[in-house]
Amino acid sequence: MTQTDSFDDLRDLYQEVILDHGRRPRHAQRLDAFDSTAKGDNPMCGDRVQVWVKYDADTIGRVGFEARGCAISVASADLMAETVQGRSQTDARALFAAFREMARTGICPTCNAAVADALERLAPLSGVHEYPSRVKCATLPWHALIAALDGTKEASSE
Amino acid sequence: MNVMTNPTALDVERIRRDFPILKQTIRGKPLVFLDSAASAQKPRAVIDAMVNAMETQYANIHRGLHWMSERTTEAYESTRDAVAALMNANDRSEIVFTGNSTGAINLLAHSYGRGVLKRGQAVLISGMEHHSNIVPWQMLRDAHGIELRVAPVTDAGELDMAAFEALLEDGKVGLVAITHMSNVLGTITPAERIVRIAHAHGAKVMFDGSQAIVHRKVDVRALDCDFYVWTGHKLYGPTGIGVLWGKRDLLERMPPFMGGGDMISSVTYEQSTWAAVPHKFEAGTPAILEGIGLKAAIDYVQTIGYDAMAAHEASLTEHALARLAGIQGLHILGQAQDRGGVISFSLDKAHAHDVATLLDRQGIAVRAGHHCAEPLMHRFNLDSTARASFGIYTTHAEIDALADGLIRVREFFA
Ligand SMILES: Cc1ncc(COP(=O)(O)O)c(C=O)c1O
């Protein structure tokens, strides 16, 4: 029995995409073969994530992660893995910058065309901007990814 | 029996009118504030006392000879009398004002820990402490060679008394520093027994009463403990003021913590001498307005009375435990026999942060996280829980709103 309609007040932040990826993440696994890995830690709330990256020539070939955290952080990690795979490091970094802006403000005036399609995929997470304490849930996996790209082992959310 | 009726002597509707903030609506819904254990809301009397002081008499204290300073000194110092009466202290000089519980415990760890405890002695805490009753002792351990021992917590969330006593057996423990009520489990610790056992083994006892003072009448002479700390903002008072009570002879043996104005008797470049207790521990201009506000909070609480408050809370807690037990997939952390109105829980399939945010969408404020008690969370293999906590203004209907809200959250994540 679903009561979709009676949950309207809960849906603005927890859209179906987030619930779905939070519940059944597609990329939530440690990679056996990887080039880099890093952990992210949010000491304020105890959320923890580890990200593994495997390169494919110049692009990010595969991303896997393990997360202990809320639906938002798991869904964000999963959508991140999905959207950065096949992209260059430069694009992944640009996407993070744009996504972070969107998570903080709900809009992204500076988002450039190169990442616009990926950003659209991440747009369901933009609702976190209304919850300053939850913004970090969405951005923590990205901090870990960037740390892995940088070759540093640990990231903490701002 | 109709669960909506209030079975206790306390007139909650009248009390609610004393708290201006409770009139608010959040996202178009009436505010259901179930986070009083983090910090309680303030009654009109506290707000007015602070505003009045600022509007009519404010000046620095203990140093002016003018009318305003004298009036304000009198008001601030009358808080010391109110606190002494509240805790049944022997004497007003046993009441030391600090910034909060954390400040009080750090003062003790510094002054008693470094000044009185000897290298090789131990401090014994429990497995259900707030970080503020862990970290200062760790710092003491690392700086001063004091061992830190931890008495374990049972699966029910109670202090393991046999293990507690065993840790005292070798006579090395100089101080037991332990919570009087857990801010996570709601457990009230057996304070009298703790004191009896500790004293029998030559250890002094400090209680962290940050939560307990809100729910139980604290009588330090009946408890016969040695130190007792609490924080004003949880007792419907302002932030920025806390209390360290200590037996006078112990306070007198302790060196000062911070140096500066107000804590001295005389100062030359060669040496300074200290003021008498409690002023020896109160360097600098204190939280004057907050002290005045705290007096109003104590008066307010005393007018209602601890018996009525405790009965109201027991009734709320019983109702909440019954309602939450009926929610499939919900697990309550801690089943202590003696407990106060703080309930931590987790929900299958929903992370505590999601639970808190989804309750917030429904106008219900709870806390989620590790509640500044990470080691306790680890003890129960958890990262976080959601926590509902009650105050004098909490109603049975609000608990029903929480339960109904949680049922929706569960269905939402199903
Ligand atoms: C049991 C306990 N101890 C200590 C504290 C610390 O209080 P404060 O932050 O006011 O110093 C709290 C509250 O946060 C608490 O619940």
Side-chain angles (χ1 to χ4, degrees):
Chain A
M1 180 189 67
T2 55
Q3 297 189 324
T4 313
D5 291 339
S6 66
F7 290 133
D8 279 354
D9 57 334
L10 309 182
R11 288 238 174 249
D12 59 339
L13 179 54
Y14 291 85
Q15 297 184 21
E16 197 51 48
V17 180
I18 296 179
L19 288 178
D20 180 34
H21 283 263
R23 206 180 289 141
R24 279 186 300 276
R26 283 57 157 177
H27 304 272
Q29 57 198 299
R30 166 190 298 263
L31 300 187
D32 291 330
F34 61 91
D35 295 305
S36 186
T37 181
K39 291 179 180 167
D41 196 1
N42 181 349
M44 288 305 286
C45 66
D47 279 358
R48 240 162 246 169
V49 63
Q50 183 163 6
V51 173
W52 288 268
V53 178
K54 174 92 184 105
Y55 297 114
D56 180 4
D58 291 343
T59 63
I60 297 168
R62 269 193 83 190
V63 172
F65 72 92
E66 277 180 4
R68 283 183 82 165
C70 60
I72 296 188
S73 65
V74 174
S76 179
D78 206 45
L79 292 170
M80 171 188 82
E82 180 189 309
T83 49
V84 298
Q85 284 183 177
R87 279 175 202 273
S88 68
Q89 282 208 33
T90 313
D91 276 6
R93 288 172 197 275
L95 184 56
F96 172 47
F99 173 65
R100 180 158 65 172
E101 179 74 11
M102 186 173 75
R104 283 180 183 161
T105 64
I107 46 169
C108 187
T110 58
C111 300
N112 63 44
V115 293
D117 58 322
L119 206 58
E120 203 157 310
R121 184 76 180 121
L122 303 175
L125 288 159
S126 65
V128 296
H129 80 275
E130 270 191 61
Y131 297 84
S133 63
R134 304 299 302 276
V135 170
K136 293 187 214 114
C137 305
T139 56
L140 182 65
W142 286 89
H143 284 285
L145 173 73
I146 301 299
L149 299 182
D150 288 344
T152 48
K153 297 249 175 310
E154 303 250 356
S156 92
S157 60
E158 8 279 84
Chain B
M1 193 182 80
N2 182 353
V3 292
M4 302 296 288
T5 55
N6 172 31
T8 63
L10 197 135
D11 183 352
V12 188
E13 284 316 316
R14 215 208 68 230
I15 285 173
R16 289 180 71 82
R17 285 198 292 276
D18 294 337
F19 289 79
I21 204 168
L22 298 178
K23 290 191 199 75
Q24 278 203 90
T25 54
I26 302 287
R27 305 181 204 290
K29 295 173 183 164
L31 166 64
V32 175
F33 184 74
L34 299 177
D35 194 21
S36 290
S39 202
Q41 299 300 344
K42 318 304 173 201
R44 169 63 66 197
V46 170
I47 300 165
D48 284 351
M50 294 173 76
V51 171
N52 269 339
M54 276 185 282
E55 286 182 348
T56 61
Q57 65 177 56
Y58 177 75
N60 208 332
I61 58 170
H62 299 145
R63 33 185 111 174
L65 289 177
H66 51 79
W67 180 86
M68 301 224 293
S69 178
E70 280 175 0
R71 279 288 305 278
T72 302
T73 304
E74 216 172 274
Y76 180 79
E77 284 299 327
S78 75
T79 305
R80 212 183 295 276
D81 297 312
V83 171
L86 180 78
M87 305 176 77
N88 195 29
N90 259 316
D91 192 86
R92 67 191 306 281
S93 68
E94 296 182 331
I95 307 298
V96 179
F97 288 127
T98 63
N100 44 36
S101 290
T102 307
I105 297 170
N106 275 276
L107 191 167
L108 197 67
H110 192 98
S111 293
Y112 194 80
R114 293 168 194 231
V116 179
L117 292 178
K118 299 274 176 292
R119 204 168 284 275
Q121 280 194 294
V123 170
L124 174 58
I125 63 174
S126 85
M128 56 174 136
E129 301 306 321
H130 188 280
H131 292 163
S132 66
N133 196 32
I134 301 173
V135 183
W137 306 114
Q138 257 170 353
M139 291 164 72
L140 175 69
R141 176 194 67 194
D142 296 342
H144 198 61
I146 299 286
E147 190 192 337
L148 179 57
R149 297 182 182 178
V150 185
V153 169
T154 66
D155 289 344
E158 294 176 319
L159 183 64
D160 181 336
M161 290 306 288
F164 172 77
E165 185 155 14
L167 285 164
L168 287 154
E169 218 94 87
D170 66 6
K172 283 192 181 166
V173 175
L175 179 71
V176 172
I178 194 165
T179 192
H180 192 185
M181 174 176 158
S182 164
N183 64 310
V184 178
L185 307 166
T187 307
I188 302 205
T189 54
E192 288 86 355
R193 256 182 91 193
I194 288 170
V195 172
R196 228 179 310 117
I197 295 170
H199 283 177
H201 291 88
K204 304 290 185 213
V205 179
M206 179 215 88
F207 285 113
D208 173 359
S210 305
Q211 297 294 338
I213 193 104
V214 187
H215 305 288
R216 295 287 162 100
K217 171 90 191 117
V218 170
D219 180 334
V220 290
R221 272 192 277 177
L223 279 178
D224 192 32
C225 57
D226 302 285
F227 301 101
Y228 198 101
V229 310
W230 55 280
T231 190
H233 66 95
K234 296 188 202 272
L235 191 67
Y236 312 103
T239 50
I241 184 147
V243 171
L244 165 67
W245 168 85
K247 284 181 178 160
R248 188 171 169 139
D249 60 315
L250 295 175
L251 292 176
E252 277 170 351
R253 282 166 60 199
M254 288 160 51
F257 177 32
M258 288 197 284
D262 288 332
M263 54 75 71
I264 46 80
S265 163
S266 80
V267 176
T268 66
Y269 286 118
E270 287 68 41
Q271 72 162 27
S272 301
T273 54
W274 314 138
V277 296
H279 301 288
K280 174 170 83 172
F281 298 110
E282 297 179 349
T285 298
I288 298 169
L289 294 163
E290 290 75 7
I292 291 170
L294 183 60
K295 166 80 162 48
I298 292 170
D299 290 348
Y300 184 79
V301 162
Q302 298 275 51
T303 307
I304 292 166
Y306 271 97
D307 289 345
M309 292 200 306
H312 177 58
E313 186 189 303
S315 155
L316 290 169
T317 306
E318 190 186 334
H319 182 54
L321 290 172
R323 283 294 322 252
L324 296 183
I327 299 175
Q328 217 185 340
L330 186 145
H331 310 280
I332 291 170
L333 184 64
Q335 280 85 39
Q337 289 295 320
D338 193 6
R339 66 172 306 151
V342 170
I343 303 177
S344 282
F345 55 90
S346 53
L347 204 53
D348 289 344
K349 296 194 193 146
H351 190 278
H353 296 146
D354 298 321
V355 172
T357 297
L358 288 165
L359 288 173
D360 176 69
R361 296 303 303 176
Q362 304 174 67
I364 302 165
V366 300
R367 180 156 177 205
H370 53 50
H371 314 292
C372 297
E374 275 190 73
L376 177 64
M377 290 282 132
H378 294 158
R379 156 71 178 80
F380 288 100
N381 290 317
L382 293 166
D383 292 318
S384 59
T385 63
R387 180 187 75 182
S389 54
F390 315 136
I392 38 178
Y393 37 64
T394 306
T395 66
H396 289 68
E398 288 182 308
I399 285 164
D400 291 333
L402 169 70
D404 295 344
L406 283 167
I407 290 168
R408 294 188 73 217
V409 173
R410 198 202 59 201
E411 284 170 0
F412 188 62
F413 274 99

